[in-house]
Amino acid sequence: MSDVIQLLPDSVANQIAAGEVIQRPASVIKELVENAVDAGAKNIKVLVVDAGRTSIQVIDDGCGMSETDARLAFERHATSKIRLAEDLFSLHTMGFRGEALPSIAAVSQVELITRTEDSEFGIHLTLLGSKITDQEPIACPVGCNFKVENLFFNVPARRKFLKTNATELNNILAAFERIVLVYPEICFTLYSNGQELMNLKTGSLKQRISDVFGRKSVQEMLPIEVDTALCRITGFVGKPEYARKKGTHDYFFVNGRFMKHPYFHKAVCSAFERLVPAGMQVPYFIYFDVNPTDIDVNIHPTKTEIKFENEQSIWQILVAAVKDAIGKFCDVPTIDFDTEGRPDIPVFNPVTDSVEMPRVNYDPSYNPFASSSSKPKPVPVTEFHGKTSALPDAWEQLYQISPTPAYTEESLFRDDRGGAQANNEILEKSPIHYQYKGRYIMTAVKSGLMIIDQQRADIRIRYEHYMGSMGQRPASSQCVLFPEVIEFSPSDSVAVQKFLPDLTEMGFEINSLGGGSFVVNGIPSGLDGLDPVRLVQNIVADVLEKGVSDAESVHASLALGLARHAAIPYGQVLSNEEMEHIVNELFACTNVNYTPDGRTILAILPQHDIEQLLG
């Protein structure tokens, strides 16, 4: 039998590694920018064309590379970060695998221009599919200039599965934000198709968060700082009153590296228990400084999952730090137990102090139920000391029980003319409804008792109304008294610009102010009492969470988001006319049983089950 195991060529091995490390254009930017940070750059510029499909360029003013280093950097497992296996557990840099550059070069066309400070000339390398096709000296500034073109040109299957340019640009901005939030001492600039999306100057961490997510986001934050033997925790956490269901910015960083950690996320949520409603979350930017020997970052190709040695202890420290920030900076009324200067309260002495029983003055002939036409003559109020007095006439009528009207099936099922309905098949629901606990509408039908969730029914009604208005003339809008300004992160603002025309069709009047800021001048009519800023933020968060791309899905997500936040809240008391309107509108919808997201709207308790329950 012939041998079947053989070594893979380097080009194939690099493409396999690229499948783990380079998933999309955002992965390329993450790797190149992290290398620039490790090189000591103070200014980093990123330029993308067609969301990275056509080209990605990263320019930095770091230490640069020599001619030999530039060639070795594209070899597998070539790195300047580690020398021994023990170095893996004492890392202070971003990248260390030595797979990023060869993986990028394996699936794209790469140009590198670099020069060190002690060199008079730099080096210009051109690579195509991991192979160096050209090398020449060049005059250039100190640092590195990477240009990656035609990503996945030799892996068409991978290129075919890339999302739309808007989605890929959102991923690029998200990856970019995770880096710039760690290094406020570095200037970052990001361009897309020649348009500047970010220009971040050096400053404090608080200023960097403000530059990325808007000034208002910093006003919603409380600082955190705690230093223990296990770790040092700093950063900011949102105030309870700014909690939201979706769209919050949740960031954990460990030793300057972004990480995802559901266990620590639960720790932050538990600190806000009973301070925010169930299902709501607060934004946070939390930074951990931990001894590198106590963590393991080498468990995931993208190094976004990190394992802690003392995870449970750090969990408790994190909860205590968040609670301390809430208690220190939130105005909570306290009870002052300071007894200095308190007034003296005399002690009662039954021997020397005499107490007189209070006397009650009232008019025994006063009848509150007497009509105004037969008012009794005013009687002077006298003191009553246990004497009986004449009671008003006909007082027994006050305690007579009125007979309860008997409701029959005929009285419940009547037509518009008030007569008995001869055929119950024509009218199966009762015109009289009952609201149960401010949440359910209960009405009699031919087969039993129908129970309708009032909020879900209103969501279905509003959803179909908004979907029906899509593509037609814009819905009616009402202007807000004072225009409200909303600030989105750069990644969110790109998506908002995309479906801004759809919001206009729904009745919103929103204009872009540039720099991720939008002004809300009007909202759809009939939404009185809702906060315009919170309404738009929640709708945008709903759409971004689903990650929809085609126009029809965007329309459905926008309509569902608006219907959810504009629907009748639980606990709102409804009149019989309002309940009748909801029931009629619901049965005019295309689907009366389920909401657009699949939740049950109504249920019927059969008459047979009711009779069995009552014996």
Side-chain angles (χ1 to χ4, degrees):
M1 182 178 178
S2 60
D3 298 333
V4 296
I5 297 178
Q6 58 183 352
L7 291 175
L8 289 175
D10 289 342
S11 59
V12 178
N14 288 336
Q15 288 188 9
I16 295 174
E20 298 179 353
V21 181
I22 309 303
Q23 301 174 354
R24 50 175 24 105
S27 304
V28 177
I29 292 177
K30 171 185 176 295
E31 299 292 345
L32 295 181
V33 174
E34 286 180 350
N35 286 341
V37 171
D38 288 339
K42 296 300 179 184
N43 295 276
I44 300 176
K45 183 184 295 186
V46 180
L47 303 94
V48 297
V49 178
D50 296 335
R53 295 171 183 268
T54 302
S55 73
I56 300 171
Q57 191 171 8
V58 178
I59 305 172
D60 68 76
D61 58 354
C63 62
M65 291 185 286
S66 64
E67 178 180 350
T68 303
D69 288 344
R71 293 181 64 95
L72 281 176
F74 292 96
E75 298 294 333
R76 291 199 69 197
H77 306 307
T79 177
S80 62
K81 313 295 174 62
I82 57 177
R83 291 292 183 267
L84 302 174
E86 291 77 9
D87 295 340
L88 288 172
F89 301 98
S90 59
L91 290 168
H92 296 274
T93 56
M94 301 293 288
F96 58 87
R97 291 180 185 274
E99 292 181 353
L101 291 181
S103 298
I104 295 171
V107 292
S108 64
Q109 301 170 357
V110 180
E111 288 187 22
L112 169 61
I113 299 175
T114 181
R115 180 173 78 88
T116 58
E117 189 174 3
D118 56 355
S119 300
E120 185 176 357
F121 292 97
I123 182 71
H124 180 200
L125 288 179
T126 303
L127 294 92
L128 179 63
S130 298
K131 297 181 180 179
I132 298 177
T133 58
D134 190 19
Q135 175 180 337
E136 58 183 1
I138 191 173
C140 62
V142 177
C144 291
N145 184 343
F146 281 93
K147 189 172 184 180
V148 179
E149 296 179 311
N150 299 325
L151 187 64
F152 300 131
F153 79 99
N154 54 352
V155 192
R158 296 286 304 279
R159 189 176 180 89
K160 182 181 67 174
F161 282 98
L162 289 178
K163 305 298 183 181
T164 62
N165 285 353
T167 302
E168 295 299 338
L169 185 58
N170 284 339
N171 292 324
I172 289 173
L173 290 166
F176 196 70
E177 290 167 359
R178 295 173 180 178
I179 299 175
V180 302
L181 290 173
V182 185
Y183 300 97
E185 69 278 6
I186 301 178
C187 294
F188 291 93
T189 311
L190 176 64
Y191 291 87
S192 174
N193 296 335
Q195 180 183 1
E196 183 181 278
L197 298 183
M198 281 193 192
N199 190 349
L200 307 174
K201 305 297 183 183
T202 58
S204 63
L205 177 60
K206 188 174 183 179
Q207 182 63 40
R208 177 57 55 88
I209 296 175
S210 175
D211 293 340
V212 176
F213 298 105
R215 293 185 300 272
K216 190 175 180 180
S217 61
V218 178
Q219 299 172 0
E220 305 173 356
M221 295 292 175
L222 301 173
I224 295 177
E225 186 169 2
V226 61
D227 198 352
T228 66
L230 286 178
C231 65
R232 181 172 183 266
I233 301 177
T234 58
F236 299 90
V237 65
K239 297 179 181 179
E241 57 265 31
Y242 293 104
R244 294 189 303 192
K245 284 188 177 181
K246 301 172 183 176
T248 57
H249 304 295
D250 307 333
Y251 290 91
F252 282 124
F253 301 95
V254 177
N255 296 348
R257 185 190 306 274
F258 171 80
M259 75 164 181
K260 299 177 182 178
H261 210 294
Y263 186 55
F264 288 166
H265 175 74
K266 291 182 180 179
V268 177
C269 294
S270 65
F272 284 91
E273 192 175 6
R274 298 181 182 178
L275 294 177
V276 300
M280 305 284 279
Q281 298 179 8
V282 295
Y284 56 79
F285 303 86
I286 298 179
Y287 300 77
F288 298 84
D289 290 327
V290 186
N291 189 337
T293 58
D294 295 337
I295 60 175
D296 184 8
V297 300
N298 198 23
I299 61 175
H300 193 273
T302 59
K303 299 184 283 292
T304 56
E305 298 178 8
I306 297 177
K307 184 178 180 180
F308 287 76
E309 182 178 353
N310 303 300
E311 195 170 70
Q312 188 172 2
S313 300
I314 296 178
W315 190 93
Q316 297 173 347
I317 296 172
L318 177 60
V319 173
V322 175
K323 287 185 176 180
D324 180 66
I326 299 171
K328 186 181 297 184
F329 294 96
C330 290
D331 294 329
V332 180
T334 58
I335 301 176
D336 189 4
F337 292 98
D338 187 8
T339 59
E340 183 178 356
R342 68 181 182 181
D344 292 332
I345 302 175
V347 180
F348 173 70
N349 189 345
V351 178
T352 60
D353 299 335
S354 60
V355 179
E356 184 180 357
M357 180 73 69
R359 298 181 178 183
V360 180
N361 298 329
Y362 74 100
D363 180 8
S365 64
Y366 174 70
N367 182 7
F369 300 97
S371 61
S372 58
S373 59
S374 60
K375 282 186 178 180
K377 295 181 180 179
V379 178
V381 179
T382 59
E383 294 182 357
F384 178 73
H385 300 284
K387 298 180 181 179
T388 60
S389 61
L391 295 175
D393 297 334
W395 62 271
E396 297 91 344
Q397 297 179 2
L398 301 176
Y399 300 96
Q400 290 181 357
I401 301 176
S402 301
T404 304
Y407 292 99
T408 62
E409 190 173 356
E410 283 188 354
S411 64
L412 291 177
F413 295 92
R414 297 181 182 272
D415 59 14
D416 295 338
R417 295 169 294 180
Q421 181 68 26
N423 188 2
N424 289 337
E425 297 293 338
I426 299 176
L427 185 61
E428 292 194 0
K429 70 177 181 60
S430 168
I432 300 176
H433 310 281
Y434 172 73
Q435 188 180 23
Y436 178 66
K437 291 191 175 182
R439 178 165 183 166
Y440 302 104
I441 299 173
M442 307 180 71
T443 184
V445 293
K446 181 180 178 181
S447 58
L449 181 65
M450 182 169 61
I451 306 171
I452 300 175
D453 188 304
Q454 66 183 39
Q455 187 183 76
R456 295 180 182 179
D458 200 27
I459 289 175
R460 165 56 70 178
I461 295 169
R462 291 178 180 270
Y463 171 80
E464 297 204 359
H465 170 73
Y466 295 138
M467 287 297 293
S469 63
M470 289 286 188
Q472 302 177 3
R473 58 185 180 84
S476 59
S477 175
Q478 60 183 18
C479 296
V480 296
L481 185 59
F482 299 102
E484 300 278 358
V485 177
I486 309 177
E487 293 181 341
F488 290 102
S489 64
S491 57
D492 292 346
S493 63
V494 173
V496 174
Q497 287 279 12
K498 178 181 178 181
F499 51 76
L500 198 58
D502 301 317
L503 290 172
T504 302
E505 289 185 2
M506 299 176 68
F508 287 95
E509 292 184 12
I510 304 176
N511 298 318
S512 175
L513 300 178
S517 298
F518 297 82
V519 59
V520 181
N521 295 315
I523 60 176
S525 57
L527 302 182
D528 299 331
L530 295 179
D531 183 5
V533 174
R534 186 64 60 89
L535 177 63
V536 176
Q537 287 176 338
N538 291 336
I539 293 175
V540 172
D542 289 340
V543 178
L544 295 179
E545 183 184 26
K546 292 185 177 181
V548 293
S549 57
D550 57 293
E552 185 176 353
S553 299
V554 170
H555 291 171
S557 297
L558 288 173
L560 178 58
L562 182 56
R564 280 176 178 170
H565 301 291
I568 299 173
Y570 290 131
Q572 180 173 330
V573 179
L574 303 176
S575 65
N576 188 74
E577 290 75 13
E578 291 173 329
M579 290 187 284
E580 176 73 10
H581 176 74
I582 291 177
V583 174
N584 292 335
E585 289 290 324
L586 174 63
F587 279 90
C589 295
T590 58
N591 190 334
V592 301
N593 294 315
Y594 300 99
T595 61
D597 52 352
R599 293 183 296 174
T600 304
I601 297 177
L602 60 85
I604 295 180
L605 184 61
Q607 181 69 23
H608 176 70
D609 294 350
I610 297 176
E611 293 173 354
Q612 283 189 339
L613 289 173
L614 298 177

